[in-house]
Amino acid sequence: MVSKRGWTTKVFYMTAHSFALVNIKPLLPGHILVSPRRIIPRLSDLTHTEVTDLFLTVQRVGRMIERVYGASSLNIAIQDGPAAGQSVPHLHTHLIPRHHADLDERGGSDAIYGMLEGEEGDVGKHHWERLNRRPKFPTVDDKARQPRSDAEMTAEAHQLAKEMDSVPT
């Protein structure tokens, strides 16, 4: 689904050079992505202005995500290049709200890194395929985490957009 602005309705915040969107398959509740508007594969491809905007957006959205999801911490991750686990040629930053002992049943806090590197963390690929309406990478059946519906993601994006209004710049 595309908004009147021409962007997907999953986008809840946009700046001159970056945007934040909800995840089709979040690793933990509140896991979102922040990406530059210009489609580039690597962090080193960004201009100084785009880098500044991207990280200020990560900081601002991160404050809101922690508050809304009652988190005490965040994982902020970029898989910068194929050898680092990046599966979509559009740079994106993962923001994952964290709570004390939230992954103890999976081996502890550091389990998030294995989740990001595996198929279950390949959320950027799922967004890319849905936005482009054709798979560009092989799909893997991940029955443990089913993709959310467009309606679920749009509702979350609307809620988070309202929350962004109360975050200081």
Side-chain angles (χ1 to χ4, degrees):
M1 185 183 280
V2 177
S3 72
K4 293 176 187 170
R5 298 180 312 262
W7 289 87
T8 171
T9 56
K10 309 328 173 271
V11 171
F12 63 88
Y13 183 67
M14 198 172 319
T15 68
H17 300 284
S18 303
F19 64 97
L21 71 158
V22 298
N23 253 324
I24 188 169
K25 293 175 84 174
L27 294 175
L28 294 172
H31 177 185
I32 60 93
L33 302 174
V34 175
S35 192
R37 290 176 72 161
R38 186 166 64 97
I39 298 173
I40 52 95
R42 304 289 308 276
L43 183 64
S44 61
D45 296 328
L46 292 175
T47 66
H48 181 279
T49 300
E50 289 170 323
V51 169
T52 301
D53 187 83
L54 179 71
F55 283 99
L56 288 173
T57 301
V58 165
Q59 182 183 50
R60 186 166 190 233
V61 170
R63 284 194 301 258
M64 181 274 295
I65 289 295
E66 274 193 78
R67 180 178 51 79
V68 168
Y69 289 90
S72 59
S73 301
L74 290 172
N75 278 107
I76 299 171
I78 295 175
Q79 293 162 301
D80 193 25
Q86 181 184 23
S87 60
V88 176
H90 186 182
L91 178 70
H92 55 279
T93 307
H94 297 261
L95 275 74
I96 307 169
R98 300 298 303 274
H99 301 86
H100 179 72
D102 58 358
L103 291 176
D104 280 359
E105 76 284 353
R106 294 189 70 164
S109 295
D110 286 348
I112 197 72
Y113 302 113
M115 294 166 71
L116 275 167
E117 290 177 7
E119 170 62 20
E120 67 183 319
D122 206 352
V123 293
K125 178 187 82 173
H126 298 292
H127 276 295
W128 187 264
E129 289 172 357
R130 187 173 277 189
L131 290 173
N132 288 297
R133 300 286 189 237
R134 64 186 190 283
K136 294 190 186 232
F137 301 91
T139 57
V140 176
D141 187 19
D142 180 14
K143 293 180 182 170
R145 291 182 329 133
Q146 294 298 314
R148 298 187 301 162
S149 71
D150 281 342
E152 289 172 305
M153 292 168 51
T154 299
E156 182 182 24
H158 285 296
Q159 174 200 355
L160 296 177
K162 288 178 189 173
E163 293 291 339
M164 284 304 298
D165 292 338
S166 65
V167 178
T169 53

